[in-house]
Amino acid sequence: MTDRPAFDRRAFLAALGSAGVGSLAGCSALGGDSTETTNTAAPTERVDADVARDLAARFAPTLYFDADETWFPTDPRAYASDRDGETVVDGFDALDGYHATQRETGERAPEPTVFYNVVGYEGSSLTAVQYWFYSVFDQFTTNFHWHDWEVLHVFVDTAGDEPVPQLYVASSHARSVPNNEFLDPDPARPPRVLSELGSHSSALSLNDRADRFQRLPTGGTFADITNRAFDRIEDAAEIPIAYGLPRDEGARLPYVVPELDGAPVYEDERLPSVTRESLVSEALTVRSFDALSSPPTDLPARSTGLVFGPEAADDDGDAADADADPAADADIEYALAPASEVEHITEFTGPQLSFEFSVPGFVEDAIASHLTTTSAPWSQPRYADPAADITDPTHRTALAERYDVVDEPSTLNTLFVRVTEAVTDADAPDGEGVTTRESGVESVLLLESDPEAAPTFGGLGVLRDVPAGDHRLTVNGAGSAPHGETVRVGDAGSGSASASETESSPDDGDGGDETLVTAGVDGEIPLVARASATKVEVDADGTDRDLTALALEDDFGGRLYDAPLSGPDAVYVHRGGAYTVEVRDSDDEVGAFRVNPDPDTGAAGGASDSDTDSDSDTDTGPAPASIPSVRIDEPRTGKASLATFLADITAETAAAVAAVDGGDGDDADGSDDSAGAATSGDSDDAGTPDDAPETSTGGGQANAVRGLAQALESVAEAARRAAERAEAGDRGRADESLDTVASRLERVAERLAEARGELPGSLSRATDRRLEQARRRSEQARAADAL
């Protein structure tokens, strides 16, 4: 058995940290550093200081914070120090100093400050006003870090007497996640920013619901973003693609506690002023994603706390713009200061923090950590070129049409997934079928080839600008078993086929070419509560075929996993399902294997692990110590594999049908000879299904059920003979047995029609599904070249 190498994110991210780069979700100080996709056509220059001040005051935003927020926008100069002749802000100094000031002064928001930077594009009337918000710490679901810089870009046209806003861009969770953007906002209504708890990711609020994020137009008002929707993904066709504010949209978002040197950060002796109460509320926090048996259901929704507004007068004593939100509506007034006053700070420092992030391996889950520093805004390309931060292609196209200084959007790959939850299906026999439902808990996406984790929003996950090649995608959620799969991404714009669905959208005037890659099955990835999970392991080592793909489907839930395969792999499934595992090799030959976890004991067939605590889909108690597993060693493709599968699935169904008859002792004469005659000797190869003995008609519908069970068992026997003959290399006789299987499956269909009235509805539906799958696998077996 060979494990897939553990992904050492700590070493990888530490290397990045030595370069002074922050590159994680929630660390929005990144971005704009891709010269290939984000550069604009013209340079920028700082505008006159008085003009910049007027513009900054004109569009200064009102900021709405969560009731549980701790770290508000402040001035980092209070925590600066000299290091080798350079000015730096140390993470310990900033975090502890901030909370010390809170305690000493009684102020919840010491030194409230927003910094502005205003640049104009040379030879154009397009000007960008940037508002930068500094917080001393970031604590979120996907990562945490010392220092946090967030930004709001306001693009304005200054050609007329009054500046006219063209586009608002509010920073989301890093470059890979689309920002929250609004094209052509109302000039009379300055922007409002809703800051996400802990991470300070910025959502927009521009309609009449001042402190709420509204993704779609409802109630007679417009949406707060104008980001486009994916018009080729059914489940996301009407959903604007941007991060938004999940807790404001009814989603549950668990936070985790940052650790330093193996202990919670608030226990570090270098942070005497930091307590547990300094962090995100315990009501929203889990100690680790793996600490729960299932996703949490009792996390509180977002509620609005402090509101920040710009100072009522500028430095000259002039009144603020009359159209701005009145200062009286704000709990706290912030100082509006030019960013040039803090550009002398060269670095924001701090050691790496860590938290648990499970990356599915073949046998064990690896633990990964995240980088915890951020770069200064003025060291980033988007500081001088704000258009580099426009993430929506339609918005970039709109500005490019109006201003020659903005480039059209470049071609890029966008990875899309919809994360759902696998649960038992009420229409299936007990323990023999699952379905998927919308997940109320947000998850985390991680490409192991990229040091950036990203949260979902409303269950949707989007990663932009994914390079071509093979990537290992991990999806993790609190209380859920992690999901991992290989995603094959072609060159952007090529529309090249891959194991994942890949589509190329040509330029239609609304944006640049975009290749949309969907992971999972048709873009859907179902997670499983840890208490209900079984790990299905597939080890291709030792096989004589080059296996290239792995798929898994449930009798009721359909296909749940379909991804490229290159070596050992594992899939977490719900114990309450009945599954077919399919492998495919480089010659396009197929192999299939039946997997039936035991929903009652928590142990799966062939597993030796201890039982889990509960099979409940809503149990939120402690997670099981281990997840049981089923292992498929040396999975083969070809006739023998498929014939064995046919024998397994028909025998399984025969046993379920026979259990309905229950051996009630009311047998009609002749009822005992049918199965034996059908399964003895070589009679299955000698003729058609009509040659098989008939079930006695005495006993009516009860005999119909018995006849169905016997017909299924006769198929299973013929399939076993086909497998034996294929194993022996006798292709001719194996095909004869497979012809018999196909014929007898038709007799099964007839018997099912006769017995349907006596079967429980769930078993009748399950038999339909398994009969259809048996037909499909029978055709594959007969067509297979490999034995």
Side-chain angles (χ1 to χ4, degrees):
M1 177 173 62
T2 303
D3 292 358
R4 185 169 57 85
F7 181 61
D8 190 353
R9 291 179 51 80
R10 180 181 292 274
F12 181 42
L13 296 173
L16 289 177
S18 65
V21 177
S23 54
L24 297 177
C27 180
S28 296
L30 290 172
D33 55 359
S34 174
T35 56
E36 179 180 353
T37 60
T38 59
N39 274 2
T40 50
T44 61
E45 57 186 359
R46 272 211 168 115
V47 303
D48 176 80
D50 291 337
V51 174
R53 176 69 185 185
D54 289 343
L55 286 171
R58 169 67 179 82
F59 296 101
T62 303
L63 311 176
Y64 292 80
F65 290 91
D66 193 286
D68 289 322
E69 183 57 66
T70 298
W71 305 294
F72 300 99
T74 190
D75 191 334
R77 288 174 288 185
Y79 315 111
S81 60
D82 180 82
R83 188 183 68 183
D84 298 328
E86 293 186 337
T87 302
V88 302
V89 179
D90 178 78
F92 290 105
D93 293 343
L95 181 57
D96 196 71
Y98 183 84
H99 287 288
T101 302
Q102 280 184 325
R103 185 183 65 248
E104 294 165 2
T105 65
E107 298 176 351
R108 287 190 62 190
E111 297 291 331
T113 309
V114 171
F115 297 93
Y116 66 87
N117 179 50
V118 184
V119 297
Y121 285 86
E122 293 183 5
S124 172
S125 59
L126 181 64
T127 300
V129 186
Q130 296 179 325
Y131 300 92
W132 290 92
F133 319 110
Y134 170 77
S135 302
V136 298
F137 199 74
D138 179 303
Q139 179 188 355
F140 189 54
T141 303
T142 57
N143 75 289
F144 11 76
H145 50 85
W146 316 90
H147 320 292
D148 190 29
W149 281 101
E150 304 293 336
V151 65
L152 167 69
H153 306 279
V154 176
F155 294 90
V156 300
D157 191 308
T158 58
D161 294 335
E162 291 292 332
V164 179
Q166 305 294 301
L167 178 69
Y168 293 157
V169 176
S171 59
S172 184
H173 284 275
R175 284 290 306 168
S176 62
V177 181
N179 287 325
N180 298 294
E181 304 177 6
F182 195 100
L183 185 67
D184 294 327
D186 183 354
R189 177 172 285 178
R192 293 188 294 253
V193 170
L194 309 180
S195 180
E196 184 171 47
L197 174 64
S199 80
H200 314 117
S201 173
S202 300
L204 291 169
S205 176
L206 301 176
N207 57 46
D208 293 333
R209 303 178 67 212
D211 67 341
R212 289 291 181 267
F213 175 76
Q214 188 165 301
R215 187 178 295 271
L216 296 169
T218 57
T221 187
F222 52 87
D224 287 320
I225 55 175
T226 56
N227 296 61
R228 70 172 181 171
F230 286 150
D231 58 3
R232 298 181 308 284
I233 299 294
E234 180 179 355
D235 294 306
E238 302 301 326
I239 302 177
I241 302 301
Y243 179 69
L245 201 60
R247 286 182 63 227
D248 209 24
E249 299 179 76
R252 293 186 292 274
L253 191 65
Y255 288 70
V256 285
V257 176
E259 293 188 349
L260 180 61
D261 299 329
V265 66
Y266 52 82
E267 294 182 1
D268 194 281
E269 62 182 10
R270 291 164 290 184
L271 298 168
S273 300
V274 178
T275 66
R276 176 62 187 86
E277 289 68 33
S278 303
L279 305 186
V280 171
S281 169
E282 289 187 84
L284 283 161
T285 304
V286 298
R287 289 312 303 258
S288 75
F289 277 13
D290 291 350
L292 301 176
S293 61
S294 64
T297 59
D298 56 352
L299 299 173
R302 176 185 174 272
S303 60
T304 300
L306 293 181
V307 180
F308 285 55
E311 291 177 331
D314 61 23
D315 292 340
D316 298 326
D318 297 330
D321 193 289
D323 291 328
D325 288 350
D329 290 346
D331 301 304
I332 293 176
E333 293 184 4
Y334 62 76
L336 196 57
S340 57
E341 294 182 0
V342 289
E343 288 180 3
H344 64 286
I345 300 175
T346 59
E347 192 174 0
F348 293 83
T349 67
Q352 181 179 330
L353 302 172
S354 63
F355 75 104
E356 183 183 61
F357 189 100
S358 295
V359 178
F362 181 53
V363 176
E364 298 291 338
D365 294 337
I367 300 300
S369 303
H370 283 246
L371 186 67
T372 53
T373 59
T374 182
S375 59
W378 35 95
S379 68
Q380 304 166 35
R382 65 176 173 173
Y383 191 70
D385 180 14
D389 226 16
I390 301 174
T391 57
D392 188 276
T394 60
H395 294 158
R396 177 174 283 276
T397 296
L399 259 63
E401 291 174 348
R402 302 173 192 179
Y403 308 99
D404 292 339
V405 295
V406 177
D407 281 345
E408 293 281 351
S410 299
T411 298
L412 51 80
N413 291 313
T414 296
L415 177 64
F416 170 87
V417 299
R418 183 169 65 96
V419 181
T420 58
E421 182 182 6
V423 295
T424 53
D425 191 329
D427 290 335
D430 185 32
E432 296 185 7
V434 300
T435 187
T436 60
R437 67 185 181 192
E438 181 178 347
S439 176
V441 179
E442 300 298 346
S443 304
V444 178
L445 275 62
L446 174 70
L447 281 181
E448 294 186 22
S449 55
D450 189 327
E452 190 167 72
T456 60
F457 46 90
L460 303 180
V462 179
L463 297 174
R464 301 176 64 255
D465 204 8
V466 179
D470 283 357
H471 303 265
R472 187 72 183 177
L473 172 69
T474 292
V475 182
N476 203 15
S480 297
H483 171 97
E485 68 175 73
T486 298
V487 179
R488 189 157 293 153
V489 179
D491 292 330
S494 67
S496 56
S498 72
S500 301
E501 177 185 356
T502 306
E503 299 183 36
S504 181
S505 174
D507 187 357
D508 56 6
D510 292 330
D513 291 350
E514 180 179 42
T515 298
L516 186 64
V517 181
T518 56
V521 178
D522 296 328
E524 180 180 1
I525 291 178
L527 297 185
V528 185
R530 293 184 63 84
S532 302
T534 291
K535 180 189 289 186
V536 177
E537 300 174 336
V538 176
D539 189 353
D541 289 349
T543 61
D544 57 359
R545 313 287 291 185
D546 180 18
L547 300 184
T548 59
L550 170 66
L552 180 143
E553 62 184 66
D554 172 75
D555 290 349
F556 279 71
R559 188 153 290 209
L560 302 174
Y561 184 90
D562 194 348
L565 176 67
S566 57
D569 205 352
V571 183
Y572 291 90
V573 300
H574 195 290
R575 291 201 316 268
Y579 302 98
T580 297
V581 176
E582 176 187 285
V583 294
R584 192 174 294 269
D585 64 28
S586 56
D587 294 328
D588 210 31
E589 295 282 357
V590 176
F593 312 89
R594 192 66 173 161
V595 173
N596 288 73
D598 186 340
D600 296 322
T601 65
S608 58
D609 300 275
S610 60
D611 297 350
T612 58
D613 294 337
S614 171
D615 189 42
S616 169
D617 292 320
T618 58
D619 177 23
T620 56
S626 63
I627 294 178
S629 63
V630 175
R631 180 185 171 103
I632 300 174
D633 287 314
E634 300 184 12
R636 298 171 299 166
T637 58
K639 291 184 186 294
S641 170
L642 291 166
T644 300
F645 170 83
L646 282 166
D648 290 343
I649 196 171
T650 50
E652 171 190 334
T653 310
V657 171
V660 173
D661 183 38
D664 56 12
D666 191 24
D667 292 349
D669 52 330
S671 62
D672 291 334
D673 62 346
S674 176
T679 58
S680 61
D682 291 341
S683 62
D684 63 304
D685 298 328
T688 68
D690 292 328
D691 295 323
E694 295 287 343
T695 301
S696 172
T697 57
Q701 292 297 324
N703 273 340
V705 172
R706 194 169 303 123
L708 173 60
Q710 293 167 354
L712 284 162
E713 184 54 46
S714 73
V715 174
E717 180 62 24
R720 292 187 192 101
R721 289 186 177 279
E724 292 169 359
R725 289 164 177 176
E727 291 276 10
D730 191 342
R731 181 186 303 273
R733 298 194 72 195
D735 284 339
E736 288 178 4
S737 293
L738 287 170
D739 288 341
T740 299
V741 167
S743 297
R744 290 187 177 179
L745 283 173
E746 296 306 314
R747 177 57 60 89
V748 169
E750 296 172 6
R751 294 295 189 220
L752 178 58
E754 296 170 1
R756 195 176 298 277
E758 293 299 307
L759 295 176
S762 59
L763 179 57
S764 178
R765 288 186 290 271
T767 304
D768 280 335
R769 286 166 167 79
R770 292 169 187 167
L771 179 58
E772 177 57 35
Q773 185 174 178
R775 289 194 185 105
R776 175 160 49 95
R777 300 300 178 183
S778 173
E779 293 173 1
Q780 290 176 334
R782 294 162 77 191
D785 288 328
L787 293 176

